[in-house]
Amino acid sequence: MIKRLSPWILAGPASLLVLVFLILPVGSTLIATFTDAKGWAAPYAAFFNSGFRRTVLYRTIEISLITTIISVVLGFIAAYVVAQMPARLKSIMIIAAVFPLLTGVVVRSFAWLILLGKNGILNTALLSVGFISEPISMLYTEGAVIAAMVYLFVPLMILTLAGVLEGIPKDVVEAATSLGATPFAVFRQVILPLAMPGLIVGAVLVFTGSFTSYATPQLLGGERQMMMGTLLYQRAMVTFDWTGASTVAAIMVVVTILIVVLMTRLARRLNPMAG
Amino acid sequence: MRNTLHPALTITASIIFIILIAPLFIILGAAVSDTNYLTFPPQGFTMRWFSNIFEISAFRTTAITSLQIAFFGTFLALLIGIPAAYALNRFRIRLPSWLSNVFVLPILVPEIVLGFSLMKSVTIGLNLPVFTTLLLGHALLVLPYAVRVVGASLASFDFSIEEAAISLGCPPLKAFLTVVLPNISAGVIAAFILAFITSINDVSISLFLTGPGISTLPIQILAHMEQFFDPTIASVSVLLMLLTVGVMAIVEATLGLTFLTK
């Protein structure tokens, strides 16, 4: 009897923690959006009827998409070079990617506050070359949020892709080259398809990470560039509109899960290594 | 994979890596600037912003809370996560296949949604103390590291060694502690480090779970920045980066940094 139950006894405490402190609370947040006194879909109608909240949703999608595209391109270039480097240079590059990754979001977003601020390095530089005559405000713009987010996610992309690109056997590349493929054809027809699953995993991490971020839009976007994360906080803790906050939370959960499920399917289908 | 690199690629990659590191040096410069506002390049040199950290008691108390939460939260996650990882690997056929997906939920559900839901249902709903909810929230946040990273180690462990010990009369718990655990120690260390650093840096869960007198360092930093724009935050950031350097040194010494690309 004990022997039959032992798997459950071992996995029990961790499962219980997830059930009681994640599934039930998050479930109750989601259910709250359907049991509103004004009707079951009223909170969603309220969300989409508000031009402001709709703008926030579109802005969040837009910023997350741009961040993902830029991060994928930059991350791919950097990881591609990392994969070709001799061991010593490679480890220096890996350190340069890991260090920011292990440094907190707050610290890394804060760095861009110094970079883009009124007394920041960018303003100082532009002033000294006479490009501008007085400091311009670069903070609280969409560009500031995107720059900081790309900075946040490129290391993640590099580390995800470096492993994948290193795993591509060099015989495959050599075979293609010796058969007369141009470097671009090798990239288009050999490297890219083999890296695609890793690329998709990385892109999903970046998109969902940007879509649900709080600290970066709060610091660099402020009220002017409100995103879903900052909207959720503002609804919950400033206006105490818990139903409104729950609706934002539910939209975040649905978008995140949808993206993860669809893209993992796509990654599996595109994986040339799998059956 | 090895082939010739176009110089343009190498140059672009070099610029990317410089941009990754440069902002962190800018923080270092801003932290020693002898001005009342944040600026770079630094004007003059002073250490007063570092001593200022210690004069603001909120930084001290929140740093202690952050360390406590990260340490005990990680410990709790490993304490319940290692047995779960063991069960998932050892008794794969006897457990339903969806169970391993349950332990991915803390990654799948957006952190900020989890934080908000915990505040609503647990801090207010169950009336649990703020510190307890914060601890449980962080344990949940890092549980996937415990289950998956330790699980990856267990996947390559040969359970017949453990069975040999048990059939020779070793009690199961002792067999686990003296036979299995030493063989998966790299996974446990990796899980501990990743979990600890994730917890220390967390904003989105802690955001909703701070209460009167209890807050974490990242939340305190955010609150301070809303009122002051002086170099104190830069010097706090420098101290946090020193912590990162320490963590990287531990990773390099125990596992080698290349494990992070796997």
Side-chain angles (χ1 to χ4, degrees):
Chain A
M1 188 63 193
I2 292 271
K3 209 160 181 278
R4 252 192 50 212
L5 282 176
S6 59
W8 284 107
I9 295 169
L10 290 169
S15 317
L16 211 63
L17 183 78
V18 177
L19 176 70
V20 177
F21 294 102
L22 188 141
I23 296 175
L24 293 181
V26 173
S28 101
T29 298
L30 301 185
I31 289 170
T33 61
F34 293 107
T35 54
D36 196 63
K38 292 189 212 92
W40 72 273
Y44 293 94
F47 182 94
F48 286 101
N49 282 335
S50 151
F52 175 72
R53 289 184 226 179
R54 253 196 341 257
T55 314
V56 169
L57 177 62
Y58 297 154
R59 181 188 295 127
T60 310
I61 294 173
E62 185 186 316
I63 289 179
S64 307
L65 270 178
I66 297 174
T67 302
T68 309
I69 293 166
I70 300 176
S71 302
V72 165
V73 172
L74 297 183
F76 197 97
I77 295 172
Y80 184 77
V81 172
V82 167
Q84 322 270 333
M85 283 293 152
R88 218 186 134 65
L89 267 173
K90 188 183 290 177
S91 54
I92 294 175
M93 288 177 147
I94 296 282
I95 289 173
V98 170
F99 187 74
L101 195 65
L102 294 183
T103 306
V105 174
V106 173
V107 173
R108 284 189 285 162
S109 306
F110 169 67
W112 284 85
L113 216 59
I114 307 179
L115 267 162
L116 303 174
K118 274 246 154 69
N119 302 301
I121 185 167
L122 218 54
N123 261 320
T124 316
L126 290 175
L127 277 172
S128 67
V129 296
F131 206 73
I132 50 174
S133 53
E134 54 183 78
I136 50 167
S137 178
M138 285 174 273
L139 292 174
Y140 315 119
T141 60
E142 210 170 288
V145 180
I146 292 172
M149 287 230 197
V150 167
Y151 179 65
L152 221 55
F153 290 114
V154 163
L156 191 69
M157 211 63 223
I158 294 176
L159 291 177
T160 310
L161 284 173
V164 175
L165 290 173
E166 287 216 311
I168 296 178
K170 76 176 201 202
D171 326 13
V172 184
V173 177
E174 274 168 13
T177 316
S178 69
L179 289 169
T182 61
F184 182 72
V186 173
F187 171 76
R188 257 294 280 119
Q189 295 175 7
V190 180
I191 297 171
L192 196 60
L194 285 169
M196 197 46 96
L199 208 68
I200 292 176
V201 169
V204 168
L205 288 175
V206 177
F207 185 87
T208 53
S210 323
F211 194 80
T212 62
S213 61
Y214 170 82
T216 310
Q218 167 69 16
L219 284 175
L220 294 152
E223 297 269 318
R224 294 227 308 261
Q225 301 295 331
M226 197 173 267
M227 287 176 66
M228 290 295 271
T230 38
L231 177 65
L232 169 51
Y233 183 79
Q234 190 242 26
R235 286 279 116 193
M237 306 305 261
V238 181
T239 56
F240 295 103
D241 168 19
W242 282 13
T243 313
S246 301
T247 314
V248 177
I251 294 172
M252 270 186 176
V253 171
V254 169
V255 170
T256 307
I257 292 180
L258 217 63
I259 294 276
V260 170
V261 170
L262 287 179
M263 295 304 265
T264 12
R265 283 239 175 111
L266 186 69
R268 213 170 287 154
R269 181 141 16 117
L270 286 176
N271 191 351
M273 298 297 207
Chain B
M1 195 179 84
R2 211 29 152 349
N3 60 356
T4 45
L5 280 174
H6 196 278
L9 273 182
T10 320
I11 294 168
T12 315
S14 312
I15 295 172
I16 294 172
F17 281 106
I18 291 168
I19 294 176
L20 280 183
I21 291 300
L24 303 173
F25 281 99
I26 288 170
I27 295 182
L28 187 61
V32 296
S33 178
D34 199 3
T35 46
N36 286 323
Y37 52 90
L38 281 160
T39 186
F40 188 91
Q43 290 160 26
F45 177 87
T46 179
M47 290 300 277
R48 72 182 150 111
W49 301 114
F50 283 93
S51 54
N52 193 40
I53 304 173
F54 298 95
E55 270 157 40
I56 303 171
S57 68
F59 281 119
R60 205 172 46 239
T61 52
T62 53
I64 293 170
T65 309
S66 272
L67 286 171
Q68 283 173 334
I69 294 286
F71 184 80
F72 291 113
T74 302
F75 184 75
L76 177 64
L78 285 171
L79 196 68
I80 61 176
I82 294 174
Y86 176 85
L88 286 173
N89 276 280
R90 181 81 176 73
F91 307 108
R92 198 173 301 145
I93 356 158
R94 281 201 266 158
L95 287 169
S97 56
W98 50 260
L99 192 65
S100 66
N101 292 336
V102 167
F103 301 115
V104 188
L105 281 177
I107 299 180
L108 200 58
V109 172
E111 276 177 50
I112 192 164
V113 173
L114 180 57
F116 169 63
S117 304
L118 279 171
M119 174 201 72
K120 228 160 36 88
S121 301
V122 181
T123 317
I124 295 170
L126 297 177
N127 211 5
L128 277 190
V130 173
F131 188 86
T132 315
T133 323
L134 199 55
L135 186 70
L136 290 168
H138 279 242
L140 256 179
L141 173 71
V142 302
L143 184 68
Y145 290 111
V147 177
R148 292 171 70 86
V149 178
V150 175
S153 278
L154 280 167
S156 57
F157 175 71
D158 181 3
F159 283 103
S160 60
I161 311 174
E162 189 199 17
E163 274 159 28
I166 293 173
S167 69
L168 288 169
C170 183
L173 184 63
K174 195 180 171 200
F176 178 80
L177 293 176
T178 58
V179 179
V180 183
L181 205 54
N183 276 295
I184 57 163
S185 58
V188 176
I189 295 170
F192 186 92
I193 293 168
L194 289 173
F196 191 87
I197 205 86
T198 305
S199 169
I200 277 278
N201 288 330
D202 172 78
V203 173
S204 296
I205 289 196
S206 313
L207 191 61
F208 293 98
L209 301 180
T210 54
I214 296 179
S215 187
T216 65
L217 188 55
I219 303 298
Q220 167 63 24
I221 293 176
L222 282 177
H224 186 92
M225 268 192 266
E226 260 159 35
Q227 291 172 38
F228 310 96
F229 206 62
D230 65 20
T232 309
I233 295 299
S235 49
V236 177
S237 301
V238 170
L239 294 185
L240 283 172
M241 288 193 280
L242 286 177
L243 180 76
T244 313
V245 172
V247 168
M248 285 180 73
I250 297 172
V251 173
E252 178 60 23
T254 50
L255 309 158
L257 278 170
T258 46
F259 112 94
L260 286 163
T261 57
K262 282 177 194 131

